[in-house]
């Protein structure tokens, strides 16, 4: 690595703008930094050399220089924000009903835009590999940019020397010259201390400094952002974050999705309260809505924990751990999980009772049987000798291209293809298609018919299952970020240099912002000391 030797004898790394020892501008870097012999000094990073401005030979240097660029970091953030905005145009796949085909759902609900949205993979945008890469690149950019600037700046500020080159003094924005011998240096130092400046002195040269910690505000911001990004990435680990959904029917005990079979829930009762349509306070709004509006819907449930090892086909041994109610924004919490009341469905079919009768005489009854729609049997043997077998079961029946299909596995519109075996008859069974509002003789030659006698319904509750162990990490990142914001926003790093001359003194000042406050403090510390008020050289140019 090339070294630049200053006239004071100090050797500076290539890329250094101001000598680290005396502050003299190093000519060969002034042009690169945008300064020249007549301009004020660019005090960014105190002129220290950064790695990104020093090395550009190997591929590691090129990668380092790429990620250390502020422009690159800003563009990565902009691209991530644009991608995140696109991901909110339509619901992500995790928020659509679990019992639907995503490919059909997006097209059905949102038309051609939904189809394009799905085909481009935006329905799972926040878990896509390229979105993860964007987040990782932002993290890498923040880390490298911080190291690239923090280390040289830290070294420079830690080893500040009071004695500075005269060009360093003259090219500060606040600069003044005082000629004369009647200057009270002790009063000047005392008044600096009253303004809470820390003083460092060397052979009559003075540097006074306050609020240096404000310089580290942006880097504290970066630490907060890195922790926040880490928390966001950890959300893709199942042990850290779970976001699932479960439908549970009244009276049903089901395993809680996302808990690896550890927890079960029993839906004891589902309650739906709606606003009173006769209440004058809501009557107008309810009439505009055109349908009842839920006031409260809740699930009264019992939570169980499985106590035995999971064995395929073995009934679980459950221990009750709590009985509670899940309402909107009032989840049931257990074992680090929370069950949020998210949806419901009323009057889902539970069972159908049918009878066999003559095709032309519905009063004839050869026997009845009840089909449990959650666990239908394959065959039903009637006392009259008839046997009815289920050939096909469509829980949520619909016609697709002339063929019966099921939209879901839930019995919202059940239909069956039955085979009816008359007693003592070895001929082929009669085939019937039976559903809600449908009763079709498959051959047109059947002697017997299946008729609906009764049905039973029940409510179904939809619960979101969530576990989030990343919240403390996200909160920590947010708090650190805000500390950095306050650190950098409300305090300013200020420095004042005083240099003795043959006939008087030179005074210079620098701050990273709020120059008016710096000038006001200088006015206070030079009061009655005989030091002439310094000028703001930038204002003088203006």
């Amino acid at each position: 690595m090339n070294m630049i030797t200053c006239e004071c004898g100090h050797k500076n790394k290539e890329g250094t703008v101001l000598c680290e020892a005396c502050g003299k501008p190093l000519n060969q870097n002034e042009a690169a930094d945008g300064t020249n012999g007549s301009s004020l000094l660019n005090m960014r990073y105190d002129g220290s050399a950064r790695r990104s401005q020093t090395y550009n030979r190997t591929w590691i240097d090129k990668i380092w220089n790429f990620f250390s660029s502020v422009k690159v970091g800003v563009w990565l953030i902009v691209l991530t924000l644009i991608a995140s905005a696109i991901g909110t145009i339509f619901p992500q796949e995790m928020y659509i009903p679990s019992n639907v085909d995503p490919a059909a759902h997006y097209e059905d609900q949102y038309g051609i835009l939904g189809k394009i949205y799905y085909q481009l993979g935006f329905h799972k945008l926040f878990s896509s590999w390229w979105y993860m890469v964007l987040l990782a690149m932002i993290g890498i950019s923040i880390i490298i940019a911080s190291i690239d600037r923090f280390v040289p700046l830290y070294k420079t500020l830690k080893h500040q020397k009071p004695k500075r080159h005269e060009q360093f003094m003259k090219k500060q924005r606040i600069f003044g010259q005082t000629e004369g011998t009647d200057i009270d240096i002790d009063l000047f130092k005392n008044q600096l201390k009253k303004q809470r400046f820390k003083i460092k002195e060397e052979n009559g040269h003075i540097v006074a400094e306050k609020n240096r910690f404000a310089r580290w505000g942006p880097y504290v911001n970066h630490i907060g952002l890195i922790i926040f990004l880490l928390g966001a990435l950890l959300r893709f680990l199942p042990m850290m974050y779970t976001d699932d959904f479960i439908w549970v029917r009244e009276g049903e005990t089901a395993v809680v999705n996302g808990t690896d079979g550890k927890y079960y829930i029993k839906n004891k009762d589902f309650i739906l309260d709606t606003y009173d349509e006769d209440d004058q306070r809501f009557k107008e709004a309810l009439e505009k809505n055109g349908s009842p509006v839920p006031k409260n819907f809740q699930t009264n449930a019992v939570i169980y924990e499985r106590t035995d090892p999971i064995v395929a086909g073995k009934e679980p041994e459950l221990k009750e751990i709590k009985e509670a109610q899940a309402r909107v924004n009032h989840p049931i919490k257990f074992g680090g999980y929370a069950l949020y009341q998210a949806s419901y469905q009323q009057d889902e079919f539970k069972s159908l009772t049918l009878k066999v009768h003559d095709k032309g005489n519905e009063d004839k009854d050869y026997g009845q049987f009840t089909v449990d729609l959650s666990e239908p049997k394959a065959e039903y043997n009637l006392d009259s000798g008839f046997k009815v077998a289920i050939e096909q079961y469509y829980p949520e029946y619909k016609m697709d291209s002339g063929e019966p299909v099921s939209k879901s596995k839930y019995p919202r519109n059940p239909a069956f293809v039955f085979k009816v075996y008359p007693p003592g008859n070895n001929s082929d069974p009669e085939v019937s298609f039976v559903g809600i509002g449908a009763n079709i003789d498959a051959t047109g030659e059947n002697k017997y018919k299946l008729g609906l006698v009764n049905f039973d319904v029940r409510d179904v509750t939809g619960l979101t299952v969530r576990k989030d162990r990343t919240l403390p990490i996200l909160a920590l990142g947010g708090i650190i970020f805000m500390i950095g914001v306050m650190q950098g926003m409300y305090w300013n790093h200020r420095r004042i240099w005083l240099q003795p001359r043959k006939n008087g003194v030179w005074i210079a000042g620098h701050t990273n912002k709020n120059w008016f406050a710096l000038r006001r403090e200088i006015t206070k510390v030079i009061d009655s000391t005989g030091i002439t008020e310094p000028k703001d050289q930038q204002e003088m140019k203006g």
Side-chain angles (χ1 to χ4, degrees), residues 179-427:
E179 293 186 354
T181 57
D182 189 18
I183 297 174
D184 191 341
I185 299 298
D186 290 335
L187 178 59
F188 174 73
K189 290 192 289 187
N190 288 334
Q191 293 181 150
L192 279 173
K193 292 177 182 176
K194 288 181 181 177
Q195 296 297 321
R196 300 188 303 279
F197 278 87
K198 293 182 179 179
I199 300 174
K200 197 173 181 181
E201 192 169 3
E202 179 184 0
N203 298 326
H205 296 255
I206 294 173
V207 57
E209 182 182 23
K210 68 186 296 185
N211 298 338
R212 183 194 292 184
F213 71 94
R215 295 291 293 272
W216 311 126
Y219 304 99
V220 175
N221 284 345
H222 290 179
I223 293 172
L225 283 174
I226 291 169
I227 294 174
F228 195 89
L229 283 174
L230 179 63
L233 291 173
L234 286 176
R235 286 193 157 212
F236 295 94
L237 297 179
M239 62 178 295
M240 298 297 294
Y241 184 77
T242 298
D243 190 350
D244 217 320
F245 194 86
I246 181 175
W247 288 104
V248 191
R249 284 146 188 84
E250 282 181 321
E252 182 185 29
T253 300
V255 65
V256 179
N257 294 335
T259 64
D260 297 325
K262 185 177 181 181
Y263 294 101
Y264 284 70
I265 179 174
K266 180 179 181 180
N267 181 357
K268 290 184 66 178
D269 189 20
F270 177 78
I271 299 172
L272 174 66
D273 296 324
T274 58
Y275 285 97
D276 185 358
E277 296 180 1
D278 296 327
D279 192 323
Q280 294 300 320
R281 295 175 298 172
F282 314 120
K283 191 170 185 178
E284 184 178 354
L286 292 173
E287 287 176 352
K288 289 181 179 178
N289 189 66
S291 61
V293 176
K295 182 179 182 181
N296 172 52
F297 54 101
Q298 72 176 56
T299 302
N300 296 338
V302 181
I303 306 298
Y304 299 95
E305 182 178 2
R306 183 166 190 160
T307 57
D308 61 323
I310 298 176
V311 178
K314 183 177 181 296
E315 287 295 319
E317 296 177 6
L318 303 178
K319 180 182 75 174
E320 180 179 332
I321 58 175
K322 74 183 307 182
E323 182 171 349
Q325 298 81 41
R327 303 191 306 277
V328 175
N329 297 325
H330 293 82
I332 300 174
K333 295 183 178 180
F334 57 94
Y337 295 91
L339 291 177
Y340 290 86
Q341 184 68 61
S343 185
Y344 65 90
Q345 180 170 329
Q346 289 188 294
D347 301 332
E348 181 184 276
F349 289 100
K350 180 181 179 182
S351 63
L352 297 180
T353 300
L354 302 108
K355 72 174 184 180
V356 181
H357 62 84
D358 291 331
K359 186 175 180 180
N361 183 9
E362 293 185 5
D363 295 332
K364 185 66 177 177
D365 188 349
Y366 292 108
Q368 301 180 4
F369 62 98
T370 299
V371 180
D372 184 337
L373 297 174
S374 297
E375 296 179 354
K377 297 179 181 177
E379 295 180 353
Y380 296 86
N381 294 302
L382 310 184
D383 293 339
S384 60
F386 277 83
K387 184 176 76 174
V388 180
I390 296 178
E391 182 70 11
Q392 294 289 340
Y393 173 34
Y394 307 98
E396 190 172 4
Y397 149 78
K398 74 167 188 176
M399 294 299 292
D400 184 10
S401 303
E403 296 291 332
V405 297
S406 182
K407 291 172 62 178
S408 73
K409 62 181 180 180
Y410 303 111
R412 293 166 180 158
N413 184 24
F416 299 87
V417 174
F418 287 112
K419 287 185 176 179
V420 179
Y421 295 85
N425 191 340
N426 295 324
S427 59

